[in-house]
Amino acid sequence: MFRFAWTMIAVPAAVAAFLLLAGRATDKWGHLLATAAALYSFSIGACLFAEMMLADEANRAVSHQLWTLLESGNWKINVGLLVDQLSILFVLLITGVGSLIHIYSIGYMAHDERRRRFFAYLNLFIAAMLVLVLGDNYLITFFGWEGVGLASYLLISFWQHRTSAAVAGKKAFVVNRVGDLGLMMALFTMLAQFGSTAFVDVNRNAAGLSSTWATLLGLFLLLAACGKSAQVPLQSWLLDAMEGPTPVSALIHAATMVTAGVYLVIRSHHIYEQTPTAQLAVAVVGTVTLLFGAWIGTSKDDIKKVLAGSTMSQIGYMMLAAGLGPIGAAFAIFHLVTHGFFKANMFLGAGSVMHGMDDDVDMRHFGALRKAMPITFLTFAMGYLAIIGFPFTSGFYSKDHIIEAAFEKSPVFGSLALIGALVTAFYMTRLMMMTFFGDKRWLKGVHPHESPATMTIPLVVLAILSIVAGAVMNNWIGEWLAPATGAEVHEMQLLHITPIGWLTMATVALGVFLGWFFFRKDIPSYQPATDNVFAIAGRNDLYGDAFNEAVFMRPGQKLVGVLDHADRHVVDGAVMGTATALGGMSTLVRKLQNGFVRSYALTMVAGAVLVGLALILGQLA
């Protein structure tokens, strides 16, 4: 089956191109073709995974070279695919959850005039993400990285007739380009230090890096990860990305784009093993982001933006685990996979709520929806239990392992991760209480109703995975990932709970109680004028946009203004001044060429006189 691995990318890419070029002739069935393409990629990925499971450990990772991309001097860069224990999990997550999102979108986008184009963009996104995780060298990963950036821009700004959507797409594109500079600098460094960007060459030679170059390379890769995974300080685009259709939110914020940074850091573990400084920076960025995201989640009334803040926070947990070294590498991917299930479940559940509430996203207008939308409520509740770490759900295993590993590495990291779990339980309970419980606060004319089967069936599948995936993967994933990630193998029991585990459960219970206590009563349908400073900061995304404007945008505008002035008056002045001087000289010289013979004769006589005088003076001297 490995020889068919390339078709996982080729089929959705070809379908995307076909749907975009074929035009309206495919409007009636284009969405079905795109969904079939995603399902095809998933089926190939599942077959590859089964084949790898049956093979012995030494033969599970397969690299398949396709062609030579670049050959110059000592540099030779091939286009190849690497199907190993790490990439295959991403393949299954991207294509599996992606296929469910395609199916969900059939119902969600049923009345959109540009549905065919939307599904073409979804296929393009899937293809680009597969290039990112299947490439066998950093340059091919970069191509997928940029493809994902393009597709996310097209999807976030899909409803570009809304100014907010157009601006959000542009913002995501620009902020991600800042992170992309980090990956470009990493590529340049690899070519300079190793003469190659292939994973096998970089891994083999990483130990020979000086501490300075290893740290720089690790920080370059971290900058790239911050952009794509919306980590501080490049997190500002994530909440605005909610302007895209809800399936886009699920695709970008659950299974694909935001996990790319975690993939990059884990894939580069050989580099981070050489630089404790860069490794510490990864853990610090993850810790700060998990707290920032949780803080934002406590303050938003837009259901999708609460989940977006939650995504930022949960990716922060993954980055924290990745920064802990071998002890946390497997846990980062474990939580990444389970998060893909329960967060996609909740984002699609939010879309189902919007479908029943006439596209309203304000939770202050919800309430009592558990009876009006029972399937959406039950499936969303399973995702809620998973994300807060309710015992024996998927999040209980994956996130709690990260908290324990953080305590093992440092009490500071462990304590901050525990605070994040408390706040997560609080704001997710707040979301549940405001949306599904309490009194009806529906706007006039709104009649909540359950979504069609094309939307609820994916919810049911993802809800089941949100509950059982953790238990299924708990004792297996560490050993599976060890060869590809350098992760330490931990023996993890399903029913054994450590003292840190008991402390985490008590902390989560406290968060749930606080969420219930403060939001069990009537919810005002307006913004309180007496909000505390923490809520105000959270509603303003912790002033990330204001910071970027004050520190980067305004000084950048002034710098550009100064450079423009210098260009116009100094550079252009010098160039134009020279041209003006030459023009003036030519005007004077041109007067000598007047076409009159007498003038030419006079000039010749004057010249002869001058030459004669020069000769006489020369003789006298």
Side-chain angles (χ1 to χ4, degrees), residues 459-518:
L459 292 179
V460 171
V461 174
L462 289 168
I464 294 172
L465 290 171
S466 298
I467 298 299
V468 306
V472 172
M473 300 171 65
N474 187 55
N475 290 323
W476 165 81
I477 193 168
E479 185 176 352
W480 173 263
L481 286 172
T485 64
E488 292 182 5
V489 179
H490 302 265
E491 185 176 351
M492 298 174 286
Q493 301 298 323
L494 286 177
L495 301 179
H496 176 69
I497 302 176
T498 65
I500 296 297
W502 286 110
L503 177 61
T504 302
M505 284 194 293
T507 302
V508 168
L510 176 60
V512 171
F513 171 77
L514 292 174
W516 169 82
F517 181 79
F518 286 109

Side-chain angles (χ1 to χ4, degrees), residues 1 50 55 110 121 216 231 261 281 392 403 447 536 584:
M1 286 300 298
Y121 293 161
L216 284 174
Q231 300 292 282
F392 312 119
I403 295 174
H447 304 286
I536 294 173

Side-chain angles (χ1 to χ4, degrees), residues 142-467:
F142 179 72
F143 290 156
W145 197 270
E146 293 303 296
V148 168
L150 170 62
S152 66
Y153 166 75
L154 295 172
L155 288 167
I156 293 169
S157 59
F158 182 74
W159 287 326
Q160 70 267 25
H161 58 275
R162 297 191 330 216
T163 301
S164 56
V167 171
K170 182 174 67 174
K171 183 177 181 180
F173 191 83
V174 170
V175 174
N176 272 273
R177 296 294 75 73
V178 176
D180 292 351
L181 291 175
L183 188 50
M184 292 175 66
M185 293 300 295
L187 288 171
F188 300 152
T189 302
M190 291 172 189
L191 288 172
Q193 295 295 314
F194 310 129
S196 173
T197 62
F199 294 148
V200 62
D201 295 329
V202 173
N203 294 342
R204 182 174 59 245
N205 298 314
L209 282 173
S210 67
S211 60
T212 299
W213 278 114
T215 299
L216 284 174
L217 186 52
L219 293 177
F220 289 151
L221 292 169
L222 175 59
L223 177 61
C226 285
K228 201 66 76 181
S229 291
Q231 300 292 282
V232 174
L234 300 179
Q235 82 288 357
S236 63
W237 66 270
L238 189 70
L239 276 81
D240 293 297
M242 295 298 101
E243 290 293 336
T246 298
V248 174
S249 303
L251 189 64
I252 291 178
H253 297 85
T256 53
M257 181 171 173
V258 292
T259 63
V262 181
Y263 168 80
L264 185 67
V265 172
I266 295 296
R267 179 62 82 184
S268 307
H269 66 95
H270 285 283
I271 295 171
Y272 285 101
E273 287 170 2
Q274 313 304 319
T275 168
T277 301
Q279 199 171 72
L280 177 63
V282 173
V284 169
V285 165
T287 304
V288 171
T289 306
L290 76 87
L291 294 173
F292 267 45
W295 185 347
I296 291 172
T298 64
S299 306
K300 295 292 185 180
D301 295 314
D302 183 323
I303 186 171
K304 289 175 64 177
K305 290 193 175 183
V306 173
L307 295 176
S310 169
T311 295
M312 187 192 307
S313 181
Q314 297 306 306
I315 300 294
Y317 273 105
M318 300 171 206
M319 292 293 286
L320 167 60
L324 298 177
I327 189 176
F331 298 150
I333 302 302
F334 188 12
H335 193 52
L336 186 151
V337 174
T338 60
H339 174 265
F341 297 145
F342 62 70
K343 186 54 65 65
N345 171 31
M346 288 189 288
F347 263 117
L348 296 183
S352 182
V353 170
M354 292 168 58
H355 177 82
M357 297 295 291
D358 289 350
D359 287 332
D360 193 351
V361 295
D362 194 333
M363 296 187 298
R364 293 171 297 181
H365 303 158
F366 295 167
L369 290 180
R370 69 186 186 281
K371 295 180 180 179
M373 308 180 69
I375 298 177
T376 299
F377 164 65
L378 290 173
T379 54
F380 199 104
M382 293 182 189
Y384 159 74
L385 293 175
I387 194 173
I388 68 172
F390 190 82
F392 312 119
T393 61
S394 60
F396 168 76
Y397 292 107
S398 60
K399 188 168 71 174
D400 285 21
H401 288 327
I402 294 175
I403 295 174
E404 291 187 23
F407 269 110
E408 186 174 338
K409 190 74 173 182
S410 165
V412 175
F413 285 134
S415 299
L416 294 176
L418 193 62
I419 293 173
L422 170 70
V423 181
T424 299
F426 170 77
Y427 71 73
M428 287 307 302
T429 303
R430 170 180 179 265
L431 183 152
M432 291 295 293
M433 297 300 297
M434 292 180 69
T435 302
F436 296 106
F437 294 91
D439 296 328
K440 299 176 182 178
R441 301 183 301 277
W442 311 338
L443 297 178
K444 185 178 180 180
V446 173
H447 304 286
H449 55 278
E450 191 57 88
S451 299
T454 52
M455 296 173 65
T456 56
I457 290 175
L459 292 179
V460 171
V461 174
L462 289 168
I464 294 172
L465 290 171
S466 298
I467 298 299

Side-chain angles (χ1 to χ4, degrees), residues 19 33 53-54 71 80 93 99 134 147 196 267 276 327 469 482 506 510:
L19 292 179
L33 179 62
M53 288 286 288
L54 296 174
E71 190 169 5
L93 185 66
S99 295
L134 285 172
S196 173
R267 179 62 82 184
I327 189 176
L510 176 60

